[in-house]
Amino acid sequence: NAGVTQTPKFQVLKTGQSMTLQCAQDMNHEYMSWYRQDPGMGLRLIHYSVGAGITDQGEVPNGYNVSRSTTEDFPLRLLSAAPSQTSVYFCASSYSISPGNEQFFGPGTRLTVL
Amino acid sequence: DQQVKQNSPSLSVQEGRISILNCDYTNSMFDYFLWYKKYPAEGPTFLISISSIKDKNEDGRFTVFLNKSAKHLSLHIVPSQPGDSAVYFCAASARSMYSGGGADGLTFGKGTHLIIQP
């Protein structure tokens, strides 16, 4: 099992550009989510999905879109990148949405917006 | 307003001694608490969790204690080893009416950087 994979590992964008951060998991997990981590901060929830075709907003959803067409994939789209979106992005998945369920995290994508 | 607080940005402990990492929370709806460990350039990895109906959970060298009345939890690592040097995040989850009683994500503290001195 590869677990949770994220691509790319690093990305530099110019203000206004768009891009998609990829996330995939091979554990047949129902629940997937995206977090961002800024320096000196904990991880903050951007969007999450409780199953294919179902997504919802987290704490900091503005400027990001998600979709969940398959169980395995949960891409995060930046529509028009801004310097405030410079961050490290982590994708996570877990077997179910039950509180306390262990979430497995990917290695992260480090994004810089100039 | 921060709902999960880790007030110590860093903690230095001698190898072999006990490491105690603290976490406070403000949201009474949280019913599960989790600790994650993170090495540089890697994603967080799950360490241990505790349900709000318990006051202690133990897994090998790691024990988490929960004091609901004080809205405080702590992670004890005994004995501390060099490989324990990492950032530790406290996280909490609550049942959400918007996801049919499931959790709608984790709320994280800012983390504590644990340094184990040889």
Side-chain angles (χ1 to χ4, degrees):
Chain A
N1 279 356
V4 180
T5 57
Q6 292 182 238
T7 56
K9 282 188 167 37
F10 302 94
Q11 182 70 50
V12 178
L13 291 178
K14 293 182 180 176
T15 297
Q17 286 184 312
S18 63
M19 81 158 291
T20 299
L21 278 63
Q22 301 292 344
C23 174
Q25 51 90 10
D26 61 359
M27 297 174 282
N28 202 31
H29 284 170
E30 288 294 324
Y31 183 95
M32 296 186 74
S33 54
W34 277 101
Y35 292 85
R36 60 177 285 174
Q37 185 189 14
D38 301 307
M41 301 285 289
L43 284 72
R44 291 183 293 168
L45 182 67
I46 304 171
H47 285 283
Y48 66 97
S49 168
V50 300
I54 308 168
T55 64
D56 208 341
Q57 296 181 350
E59 181 186 353
V60 288
N62 292 342
Y64 307 95
N65 270 1
V66 291
S67 59
R68 184 98 179 268
S69 54
T70 67
T71 300
E72 294 78 21
D73 300 297
F74 191 44
L76 178 72
R77 295 184 193 84
L78 279 70
L79 309 171
S80 177
S84 61
Q85 292 178 305
T86 294
S87 190
V88 181
Y89 291 85
F90 292 100
C91 178
S93 74
S94 64
Y95 178 71
S96 79
I97 61 170
S98 296
N101 219 256
E102 175 186 352
Q103 292 201 31
F104 295 82
F105 283 82
T109 294
R110 184 174 294 273
L111 175 68
T112 302
V113 183
L114 303 175
Chain B
D1 188 30
Q2 264 204 300
Q3 298 187 65
V4 177
K5 299 176 186 176
Q6 294 178 258
N7 292 320
S8 300
S10 67
L11 175 67
S12 184
V13 174
Q14 265 199 313
E15 182 179 354
R17 306 294 287 267
I18 182 172
S19 296
I20 300 176
L21 293 91
N22 294 305
C23 178
D24 297 294
Y25 63 97
T26 58
N27 187 343
S28 301
M29 300 302 291
F30 288 142
D31 57 3
Y32 263 93
F33 302 90
L34 306 91
W35 285 93
Y36 281 82
K37 175 180 178 179
K38 185 181 180 307
Y39 293 118
E42 294 184 10
T45 54
F46 171 78
L47 257 185
I48 192 168
S49 66
I50 187 167
S51 161
S52 60
I53 62 172
K54 293 186 173 182
D55 54 19
K56 178 183 174 181
N57 189 25
E58 199 170 346
D59 184 1
R61 296 187 297 116
F62 304 93
T63 304
V64 57
F65 296 92
L66 175 62
N67 182 334
K68 276 188 69 176
S69 60
K71 293 192 175 68
H72 177 82
L73 63 153
S74 60
L75 174 68
H76 293 211
I77 307 173
V78 184
S80 301
Q81 299 175 354
D84 296 331
S85 293
V87 177
Y88 289 78
F89 290 101
C90 173
S93 68
R95 292 193 183 274
S96 168
M97 57 185 281
Y98 300 108
S99 57
D104 55 7
L106 294 171
T107 302
F108 282 83
K110 291 185 178 182
T112 296
H113 185 193
L114 176 65
I115 302 159
I116 305 301
Q117 306 271 13

